[in-house]
Amino acid sequence: MDPLDRYRPLVDDFEAFLDACRRPLPSAVRVNTIKASVERATAALDAEGVGWEQAAWNDRVMTVDTDRPGNTWPYYHGWLHGQEEVSALPATALSPEPGERVWDACAAPGSKTTHLAALMDDRGLLVANDSNLGRLSALRSNAERLGVTNVAVTNQDARNFSLKPFGGREFDRALVDAPCSCEGTIRKNPDALDGWTMDHVRGVAGVQKGILRRAVQATRAGGTVVYSTCTFAPEENEGVLDHVLREEDCRLVDHGLDVDCIPGVTEWDGETYDDSVRKAARIYPHFQDTGGFFVAKLEVGA
Amino acid sequence: MSENDGNRFDRLPATPEDREVEGRASRREIVDWWDERFGVPPETFADHTFWEKGAGKVWIFAGDVDSPVEVEGLGMTFMRTRQEHWKPTTEAVQRFGERAERNVIRLSREEATRFVAGEDQELDWDGDWGYLIAAHELAGGDAPLGVGLYVHGELRSRVPKGRRREF
């Protein structure tokens, strides 16, 4: 059985959804405004004869008509970062300000971290953590190529992350772009569903709950936490939010993203979730010809 | 004087007089070096701190944490000291080299292509020998490519293997 079949009740035009999942993903990049303006980066693409089209919801994100954006001059200079469109949603939703203290709990290989750094104008403190030491080297080299100087890199289990290296002070904002079953990346990785099991979904949901709880605890009252995954599974999305809403002092708020999406689901497989999970966004591949994604925004201690 | 501990990040002392660790560069020497070598104005780095982890490896960081700190990375690698000729990193030159006013060697597109492929090339250059910023024109201005070592009529590419590109 195709694991995606279980989502038939959640998706209105299920055939269009499946068709989109079977098509390869358009090649997309994000302009790294730490090193170049959107105007200069796009002028450099023009000079090389590479066509581009800005995303409707974000002028820093664009699809490009080359399979190898890495082999262009603006990429070499760190003006561009290869990053699929939906991957730019979590940092946009978190919307950090220059000078703030921000935690990226599951940061490697760094696409969202470097996007956060750019939104912070490379000022303030951005703590990029990942439990996997090997993947941290990819994060480090991405951050360096993109000229990020406000990032501190840590290698901890995010579920019991220690603030000690940072004076014990809480963060203004935190991003939990959680490890997940990755169903929404099927267009990029055709074998993404090969090892799919319900046991894995349940197991990874437990990890997600632990990380999101720690992110809420490590963020100051009135601060913001964004939770995102690239999976369709409600167990890993609304189910995780529902758990953390009950266990920690936080609430769902509007995500503020100007994208085509549907609300989070409140009923699934015999479970009922807190009604406020409707404020989350489900993005299906056939909506905007992107990968699949889930994103939710929480306010702490309010 | 104590010795450098390679397992943690230590903030550089403000001046040579404040030095407590043998052979460690000071903030003032780092900033003066960029000014003297490349004409990068000292105020460029007003909001950054400098750190050493690993002997001679200097990192530049925009945030604020207490020193010492045990983390995997702090800002980006900036330059190499504790050797006769200090050497900036490719990333430092790409990020801050646009402000340089001297010791910048401007390459044609063909020369730039060879440079980023890691090739050495014979080029005329009237200025100082040693580490130069290699740049080319891209989209309306100078775009620094990386660090080259100029000696005996030859520009040697110092682009690290992982950053090289074949165009």
Side-chain angles (χ1 to χ4, degrees):
Chain A
M1 187 197 96
D2 186 335
L4 296 180
D5 273 343
R6 66 199 292 260
Y7 305 124
R8 199 176 283 272
L10 299 183
V11 183
D12 271 348
D13 189 349
F14 195 68
E15 290 312 312
F17 169 85
L18 282 184
D19 282 348
C21 287
R22 290 184 194 116
R23 284 198 302 272
L25 201 59
S27 187
V29 296
R30 174 175 56 80
V31 175
N32 173 36
T33 50
I34 292 173
K35 280 179 130 177
S37 64
V38 172
E39 292 71 26
R40 195 171 184 201
T42 51
L45 285 173
D46 289 342
E48 280 188 64
V50 175
W52 48 275
E53 188 181 352
Q54 277 173 339
W57 60 277
N58 190 324
D59 66 357
R60 295 179 183 190
V61 177
M62 54 198 71
T63 52
V64 286
D65 69 0
T66 169
D67 291 340
R68 304 180 69 193
N71 270 35
T72 62
W73 283 109
Y75 183 93
Y76 173 78
H77 286 286
W79 298 358
L80 299 177
H81 182 61
Q83 180 173 11
E84 71 166 292
E85 230 180 281
V86 286
S87 159
L89 291 170
T92 307
L94 192 63
S95 190
E97 301 275 340
E100 287 186 331
R101 293 166 64 88
V102 178
W103 183 37
D104 189 354
C106 317
S111 292
K112 285 111 185 168
T113 308
T114 53
H115 189 192
L116 291 169
L119 294 174
M120 295 167 77
D121 205 10
D122 197 28
R123 288 186 284 145
L125 173 64
L126 173 57
V127 177
N129 178 73
D130 204 276
S131 61
N132 184 322
L133 191 60
R135 280 163 54 89
L136 279 184
S137 66
L139 180 148
R140 287 261 336 277
S141 70
N142 278 324
E144 295 226 323
R145 188 178 59 80
L146 299 178
V148 175
T149 67
N150 74 338
V151 68
V153 179
T154 60
N155 178 217
Q156 296 188 35
D157 183 332
R159 290 172 290 186
N160 43 39
F161 185 80
S162 166
L163 295 168
K164 209 173 138 211
F166 310 105
R169 279 176 58 200
E170 294 169 328
F171 295 103
D172 297 301
R173 298 173 203 261
L175 172 62
V176 177
D177 182 54
C180 69
S181 56
C182 294
E183 296 163 351
T185 67
I186 183 74
R187 303 183 65 184
K188 193 171 58 178
N189 311 311
D191 54 1
L193 298 175
D194 286 0
W196 192 97
T197 65
M198 200 55 229
D199 272 353
H200 177 248
V201 169
R202 288 194 201 96
V204 80
V207 175
Q208 292 157 346
K209 288 169 186 170
I211 298 173
L212 185 55
R213 284 190 67 176
R214 184 66 193 126
V216 172
Q217 293 162 4
T219 300
R220 67 169 170 81
T224 305
V225 176
V226 163
Y227 179 74
S228 62
T229 73
C230 51
T231 191
F232 307 114
E235 294 89 343
E236 299 179 53
N237 292 325
E238 293 87 347
V240 172
L241 295 175
D242 180 74
H243 173 84
V244 175
L245 287 170
R246 276 186 280 114
E247 298 294 331
E248 302 293 338
D249 187 8
C250 61
R251 67 180 180 106
L252 263 291
V253 295
D254 292 331
H255 53 71
L257 296 167
D258 186 19
V259 290
D260 290 339
C261 57
I262 58 165
V265 300
T266 53
E267 286 176 35
W268 173 250
D269 199 26
E271 301 277 333
T272 305
Y273 304 130
D274 189 288
D275 200 54
S276 71
V277 302
R278 292 176 47 78
K279 287 183 186 285
R282 290 187 153 259
I283 293 138
Y284 293 140
H286 58 300
F287 287 174
Q288 283 138 132
D289 197 18
T290 63
F293 213 70
F294 179 87
V295 57
K297 189 168 176 175
L298 299 123
E299 187 179 296
V300 175
Chain B
M1 287 254 175
S2 56
E3 296 216 343
N4 181 53
D5 177 346
N7 294 314
R8 63 183 205 197
F9 288 88
D10 287 280
R11 193 185 287 119
L12 297 193
T15 70
E17 291 72 42
D18 302 314
R19 184 173 4 245
E20 289 174 0
V21 172
E22 190 72 46
R24 175 166 291 163
S26 67
R27 175 188 175 86
R28 181 180 293 167
E29 290 164 295
I30 298 283
V31 169
D32 285 351
W33 186 86
W34 279 79
D35 190 9
E36 285 159 20
R37 180 75 196 165
F38 298 122
V40 173
E43 60 267 27
T44 305
F45 307 112
D47 296 327
H48 283 95
T49 50
F50 297 101
W51 302 71
E52 183 175 28
K53 185 197 185 194
K57 205 173 182 182
V58 171
W59 303 58
I60 184 167
F61 180 49
D64 182 24
V65 294
D66 290 335
S67 175
V69 61
E70 291 196 33
V71 289
E72 300 300 321
L74 200 62
M76 78 181 190
T77 54
F78 186 63
M79 62 189 303
R80 175 70 76 170
T81 62
R82 294 185 189 261
Q83 55 192 21
E84 186 185 351
H85 297 290
W86 288 6
K87 176 176 176 288
T89 63
T90 299
E91 313 305 350
V93 157
Q94 281 203 356
R95 173 72 203 275
F96 300 102
E98 266 180 33
R99 302 201 187 192
E101 289 177 346
R102 54 181 163 267
N103 287 320
V104 178
I105 185 165
R106 290 181 172 78
L107 305 181
S108 67
R109 191 56 44 94
E110 188 192 342
E111 290 160 350
T113 301
R114 296 181 62 187
F115 182 83
V116 301
E119 291 176 32
D120 303 336
Q121 48 193 319
E122 287 186 10
L123 288 173
D124 289 331
W125 168 250
D126 286 337
D128 293 346
W129 287 19
Y131 292 118
L132 306 180
I133 294 174
H136 68 154
E137 196 280 331
L138 185 63
D142 271 349
L145 294 154
V147 179
L149 177 62
Y150 192 87
V151 282
H152 303 295
E154 186 180 61
L155 181 69
R156 297 180 184 167
S157 173
R158 284 294 177 266
V159 178
K161 283 202 177 63
R163 286 286 263 123
R164 290 179 193 166
R165 277 282 183 280
E166 304 266 356
F167 282 102

